[in-house]
Amino acid sequence: MNAVQRPQAYGVFKPVGHVIVALPSENDRDDAVAGLLQAGFVAEDIHAYTPSEMIAQADDEIAHASALAGVGQELNLVKAHRELAQQGSSFLVVRAHDTHEAEQIAEVATRCHASRAQRYGSLVIEELIPVGGSQRQVAESTDRGLDAQTRSGHEKAQAGTPR
């Protein structure tokens, strides 16, 4: 996988078989890369994104997403990633061949202060790091954005940002 050959569904980034990790700083991202390499992952399976790279990718995807992208949560996650990037988060996209590897990625991500770690499957996008509190989850939609239990509680497009 590379920036030119991004796996997509309905015009938005959907890296099935990968975990996307949002980290609050570039130092945390670099620590996570080192931790993943120590855990046995190979460099070819780890792709880093700076905040500006993630914003540019998200803006492009939001502008070109098909109407079907709003059926699942892919478009909402792109918007959430964009907002986290605007707040300075860096990202890793890591190949996870199985559940054990996804758990290893989540463990390293947690140690490195990740705010999100999401495993992309064909039909389900799984949260690997607990987010939110004790509030009951509500239905998510393209208009409503992600559930209020997301770490920031408001990770959706803001007025004036691309939708």
Side-chain angles (χ1 to χ4, degrees), residues 1-8 13 47-49 53 57 61:
M1 181 182 73
N2 60 45
V4 175
Q5 299 174 313
R6 295 187 321 243
Q8 295 186 351
F13 191 49
H47 304 277
Y49 290 82
E53 289 171 333
Q57 178 175 307
E61 290 170 4

Side-chain angles (χ1 to χ4, degrees), residues 6 12 52-64 75 77-79 81-83 85 162:
R6 295 187 321 243
V12 296
S52 60
E53 289 171 333
M54 185 57 76
I55 290 168
Q57 178 175 307
D59 286 347
D60 181 63
E61 290 170 4
I62 292 166
H64 297 100
L75 187 55
L77 289 171
V78 168
K79 291 174 183 178
H81 293 158
R82 184 183 192 285
E83 183 170 325

